[in-house]
Amino acid sequence: KNWFLGMAFAPLRVTLQNELATFGRRTPKQVLPKHLIRTWKIRTGDEVFVRSGVGKGVIGRVTMTDYRKNLLKVEGANMRKIYNEEGDPVMTEKKIHYSNVALLDPVSRKPTRVSLKWDQDGEVIRVAKASGSIIPIPARTRDEPTPEVGPKDTPPEKALEKTYDYEKDVEAMQLLRQTMTKYNHRLH
């Protein structure tokens, strides 16, 4: 009977151990799943207006989005002074909550709400509520570094060469099963 009670409280004990392990340490805060924004209408590269907060009234481009924390960085907004390795002060942007910014209407250049619509191909279209004009989704620009080929790297044609033979493996497994059957039956 006692072992059952121990099993019932095992998940609670594990969470308490995790809490105690992180006590006094700064861990990155993440939003609870129920508070996550499901459909982000603001993307990296969009021009937004900061509605509230430290950088209120600033118009800037979104440089980074953090979907797990509902935060984003805007150029020139929420500036903080940090010190680099040499000790010189450097101004940098800090993150702003998603709800504190609004997309700019491409016609009037004023903040607007946005609705999502789908065209015949199933592609998402963002429409400005103020003017009804389409807000284009910015193209993704990822700077992927080209890997340097070293002396120990395997060439792609050698790595893509087929070396596994399924038929031989099936035959070997069948032979193995036949030889091992006398050891696998239960003794009563």
Side-chain angles (χ1 to χ4, degrees), residues 42-183:
I42 299 173
R43 307 274 173 92
T44 303
D46 280 329
E47 204 164 3
V48 294
F49 175 81
V50 180
R51 296 189 300 181
S52 62
V54 178
K56 182 177 180 178
V58 173
I59 294 175
R61 193 164 300 280
V62 177
T63 57
M64 189 196 84
T65 54
D66 189 351
Y67 296 105
R68 291 191 177 130
K69 298 179 187 176
N70 295 339
L71 299 173
L72 45 89
K73 277 188 185 179
V74 179
E75 285 180 356
N78 201 9
M79 300 297 286
R80 294 286 190 271
K81 186 191 300 184
I82 61 168
Y83 295 92
N84 58 11
E85 292 83 25
E86 291 83 30
D88 301 327
V90 178
M91 297 299 282
T92 183
E93 297 101 358
K94 293 292 182 179
K95 297 176 186 173
I96 301 174
H97 194 266
Y98 179 89
S99 64
N100 292 343
V101 298
L103 275 171
L104 285 180
D105 189 341
V107 176
S108 64
R109 304 289 297 161
K110 291 185 179 178
T112 181
R113 294 184 302 152
V114 178
S115 67
L116 296 178
K117 304 214 179 205
W118 287 264
D119 62 357
Q120 292 85 7
D121 301 332
E123 296 292 322
V124 178
I125 298 173
R126 299 183 300 176
V127 179
K129 293 269 191 172
S131 66
S133 61
I134 295 174
I135 302 173
I137 295 175
R140 286 189 170 191
T141 55
R142 279 208 168 144
D143 300 332
E144 301 217 8
T146 56
E148 295 180 13
V149 179
K152 294 188 177 183
D153 290 336
T154 306
E157 49 277 347
K158 182 72 175 172
L160 294 173
E161 184 179 304
K162 184 177 176 182
T163 57
Y164 176 69
D165 189 12
Y166 176 74
E167 285 79 20
K168 281 187 179 179
D169 196 31
V170 168
E171 291 171 9
M173 290 302 291
Q174 287 175 347
L175 183 64
L176 183 66
R177 283 191 194 111
Q178 289 172 357
T179 57
M180 297 297 288
T181 51
K182 63 180 181 181
Y183 300 110

